[in-house]
Amino acid sequence: AQSVTQLGSHVSVSEGALVLLRCNYSSSVPPYLFWYVQYPNQGLQLLLKYTTGATLVKGINGFEAEFKKSETSFHLTKPSAHMSDAAEYFCAVSDGGDFGNEKLTFGTGTRLTIIP
Amino acid sequence: GAVVSQHPSWVICKSGTSVKIECRSLDFQATTMFWYRQFPKQSLMLMATSNEGSKATYEQGVEKDKFLINHASLTLSTLTVTSAHPEDSSFYICSPRGLAKNIQYFGAGTRLSVL
């Protein structure tokens, strides 16, 4: 079984400050890891994903995440927050099975607020 | 980019009635459709997976006779909540995936309130 824990249901940062959203996972097999963003009244959009290879993954809008197996973590970061980053962020894990049918297990989400 | 249309975005119904939620993939063919349910402050929970033209596979604890899924075409899937009760009130999200695009897209969700 897989699970995802997102520490902090709400995170507030000042505009221009570092964004750090935490995600820890558990998985009995090598995981595939994802970060999704959800803006108000929109569907989840893929920010970035880790499958294999380089552990530092770069995504859209300046976000990146690093897969740390020893810490079972996949924290999301952005060096400088922008007002447009305000949204709900979801971390997810899958078992990397037969692509097209693997199931995603989501965290509870972190609402990011940007302070002007 | 791909666009997913989920309708309605919000529905209020009386207990005992049925509600149909539509999910359309507008610019790609969705060979697989995932339906999720989300309670406040909780994760998205997978309800069922369907492949076009096949019966849906339901997750443990999800009543297949209450949550009817139809995936008759590559661009349309529907979820019907039959004989809805207040405990069915939740946020339902569709997520189509196409073979030609190796990522999963999500609808904006439908908030169901059963009175």
Side-chain angles (χ1 to χ4, degrees):
Chain A
Q2 300 167 301
S3 67
V4 176
T5 301
Q6 289 184 243
L7 295 176
S9 58
H10 288 86
V11 171
S12 295
V13 301
S14 297
E15 189 175 15
L18 171 71
V19 175
L20 171 60
L21 304 183
R22 300 178 185 274
C23 173
N24 289 87
Y25 69 92
S26 68
S27 177
S28 57
V29 298
Y32 284 9
L33 295 159
F34 306 79
W35 275 100
Y36 286 88
V37 60
Q38 185 177 31
Y39 299 103
N41 302 315
Q42 296 185 28
L44 277 71
Q45 300 173 33
L46 182 66
L47 267 181
L48 49 78
K49 65 178 179 181
Y50 167 80
T51 54
T52 59
T55 56
L56 182 63
V57 181
K58 295 186 183 300
I60 61 173
N61 302 337
F63 284 93
E64 61 183 35
E66 185 171 11
F67 169 56
K68 292 187 176 180
K69 183 178 179 180
S70 61
E71 298 178 7
T72 61
S73 69
F74 191 57
H75 301 330
L76 181 70
T77 61
K78 181 173 180 178
S80 178
H82 192 273
M83 295 300 295
S84 61
D85 295 327
E88 186 95 19
Y89 291 81
F90 292 89
C91 181
V93 62
S94 81
D95 61 7
D98 182 27
F99 197 86
N101 288 305
E102 78 269 18
K103 300 174 184 177
L104 292 170
T105 299
F106 286 87
T108 51
T110 297
R111 182 169 298 279
L112 176 64
T113 300
I114 309 299
I115 303 168
Chain B
V3 177
V4 179
S5 174
Q6 185 173 344
H7 178 80
S9 58
W10 192 13
V11 57
I12 301 173
C13 69
K14 292 182 178 180
S15 185
T17 61
S18 295
V19 174
K20 180 183 284 188
I21 300 169
E22 290 189 350
C23 182
R24 295 179 184 274
S25 54
L26 299 182
D27 64 352
F28 70 100
Q29 294 181 324
T31 50
T32 303
M33 183 69 74
F34 301 90
W35 284 95
Y36 292 87
R37 181 175 181 177
Q38 185 181 24
F39 291 105
K41 300 183 191 281
Q42 296 188 28
S43 301
L44 281 73
M45 301 299 295
L46 181 64
M47 298 175 65
T49 304
S50 70
N51 293 302
E52 184 265 338
S54 302
K55 289 185 178 180
T57 301
Y58 290 81
E59 295 299 301
Q60 190 172 8
V62 178
E63 299 176 59
K64 63 179 182 180
D65 295 329
K66 169 169 269 302
F67 300 101
L68 301 179
I69 292 172
N70 183 291
H71 191 179
S73 81
L74 289 172
T75 58
L76 174 64
S77 176
T78 61
L79 168 67
T80 300
V81 183
T82 63
S83 186
H85 288 90
E87 58 266 29
D88 298 324
S89 298
S90 190
F91 196 61
Y92 294 87
I93 301 170
C94 69
S95 180
R97 184 204 303 269
L99 284 178
K101 295 177 183 286
N102 62 351
I103 61 174
Q104 192 169 328
Y105 295 94
F106 290 82
T110 297
R111 186 165 302 283
L112 171 63
S113 298
V114 184
L115 304 178

